[in-house]
């Protein structure tokens, strides 16, 4: 099931960020990359490079499975979807401490992973699968991919101090550039803040800025994810504790 929401899928609130940064939606990425492995003339599978993709997804289910300590390790199985498709994948328990702060049901995560088609076995049909997934919180993605924030300034001069106080806690050398579009009844000008006033873009900083600007006076630009060149890896490398069941 893809889930049912009375007012649309909750991921739609992030459409502007997802459209700028991500590789596509799950349905299209699965259709493009989860294809059967080519077979050579001698009947052996041919090595095919997998391309990393970045997509946003809603965590719809999260379950812990305790390993027996002999043949299986403890791990978490998560199910994620974006309204177009769903996928499940495993997270090894050793990786969980870095994710537990933001990996929760009914929350948004961003995933960088290779998407492929797992071979059918034990009577199961081949199915789409995530290989080598890496997870980011929305705050992590925004901070890494935001390049510039534009602010339409229509407030009186006395409020400049309030703007300084709002931006100050989020100043960062690796943050996004700040541009002010100043408009009053007689003139208009565009001001680029100096590099030392770059700011880290995250939900908290946008909340602080949102106290001085309306939503239509704030625009953030993000860079598009660029997949690294695929490299040949060990044949049996996988996403986590095992196959997706």
């Amino acid at each position: 099931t893809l889930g049912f929401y009375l007012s649309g899928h909750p991921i739609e609130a992030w459409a502007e960020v997802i459209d700028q940064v991500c590789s596509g939606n799950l349905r299209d990425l699965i259709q493009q990359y989860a294809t059967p492995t080519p077979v050579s003339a001698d009947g052996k599978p041919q090595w095919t490079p997998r391309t990393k993709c970045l997509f946003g997804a809603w965590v719809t289910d999260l379950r812990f499975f305790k390993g027996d300590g002999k043949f299986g390790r403890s791990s978490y199985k998560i199910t994620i979807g974006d309204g177009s498709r769903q996928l499940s994948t495993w997270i090894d328990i050793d990786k969980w401490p870095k994710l537990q702060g933001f990996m929760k049901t009914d929350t948004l995560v961003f995933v960088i992973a290779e998407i492929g088609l797992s071979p059918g076995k034990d009577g199961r049909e081949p199915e789409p699968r995530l290989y080598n997934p890496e997870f980011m919180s929305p705050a992590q993605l925004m901070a890494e991919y935001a390049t510039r924030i534009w602010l339409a300034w229509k407030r009186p001069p006395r409020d400049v101090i309030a703007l300084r106080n709002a931006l100050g806690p989020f100043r960062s050398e690796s943050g996004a550039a700040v541009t002010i579009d100043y408009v009053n009844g007689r003139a208009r000008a565009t001001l680029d803040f100096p590099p030392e006033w770059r700011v880290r873009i995250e939900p908290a900083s946008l909340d602080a800025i949102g106290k001085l600007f309306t939503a239509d006076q704030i625009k953030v630009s993000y860079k598009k994810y660029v997949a690294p060149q695929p490299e040949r890896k060990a044949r049996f490398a996988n996403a986590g504790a095992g196959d997706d069941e």
Side-chain angles (χ1 to χ4, degrees):
T1 177
L2 297 180
F4 178 75
Y5 301 92
L6 292 176
S7 57
H9 198 285
I11 202 172
E12 293 175 3
W14 288 83
E16 185 174 347
V17 177
I18 290 172
D19 289 346
Q20 292 187 64
V21 179
C22 294
S23 307
N25 63 42
L26 266 177
R27 180 191 58 211
D28 293 343
L29 294 175
I30 289 172
Q31 183 176 358
Q32 181 175 359
Y33 295 111
T35 57
T37 302
V39 178
S40 61
D42 60 5
K44 295 182 179 180
Q46 294 180 339
W47 178 79
T48 303
R50 294 195 189 100
T51 301
K52 284 184 176 292
C53 305
L54 170 59
F55 60 90
W58 205 254
V59 181
T60 60
D61 192 53
L62 174 61
R63 303 185 187 190
F64 174 72
F65 290 83
K66 184 175 177 60
D68 58 16
K70 186 176 182 180
F71 298 105
R73 292 170 55 83
S74 296
S75 58
Y76 289 83
K77 183 179 181 180
I78 67 164
T79 301
I80 53 178
D82 63 0
S84 68
R85 280 292 298 269
Q86 281 191 341
L87 279 179
S88 294
T89 192
W90 295 88
I91 300 174
D92 192 275
I93 194 170
D94 292 341
K95 298 180 179 180
W96 183 249
K98 294 182 178 180
L99 306 176
Q100 61 183 352
F102 65 87
M103 186 73 72
K104 306 178 188 298
T105 55
D106 291 326
T107 59
L108 176 69
V109 296
F110 288 91
V111 187
I112 297 177
E114 300 161 359
I115 297 178
L117 193 67
S118 68
K121 62 180 182 181
D122 300 329
R124 293 185 302 173
E125 294 293 325
E127 58 186 1
R129 179 181 176 187
L130 298 181
Y131 292 85
N132 308 305
E134 304 169 29
F135 300 91
M136 290 185 292
S137 69
Q140 290 171 329
L141 179 124
M142 294 169 74
E144 182 172 346
Y145 287 88
T147 58
R148 183 175 297 273
I149 181 169
W150 277 272
L151 302 172
W153 183 263
K154 299 180 180 180
R155 302 177 68 91
R158 63 176 180 272
D159 287 343
V160 170
I161 298 301
L163 176 62
R164 178 187 178 95
N165 293 338
L167 299 179
F170 304 100
R171 291 172 63 179
S172 171
E173 292 182 358
S174 60
V178 179
T179 296
I180 294 289
D181 187 17
Y182 175 73
V183 181
N184 64 25
R186 294 172 296 175
R188 180 171 186 168
T190 299
L191 308 173
D192 290 328
F193 279 25
E196 59 267 26
W197 274 94
R198 299 176 73 93
V199 289
R200 187 174 64 257
I201 301 300
E202 59 184 46
S205 61
L206 292 182
D207 285 345
I209 295 170
K211 294 178 181 178
L212 296 174
F213 299 86
T214 59
D216 63 329
Q217 294 172 339
I218 303 171
K219 179 182 178 181
V220 182
S221 290
Y222 297 87
K223 60 185 178 182
K224 194 77 171 181
Y225 171 75
V226 178
Q229 188 68 26
E231 296 180 1
R232 188 159 189 166
K233 299 180 180 179
R235 181 179 176 186
F236 298 107
N238 58 43
D243 206 349
D244 289 343
E245 288 295 345

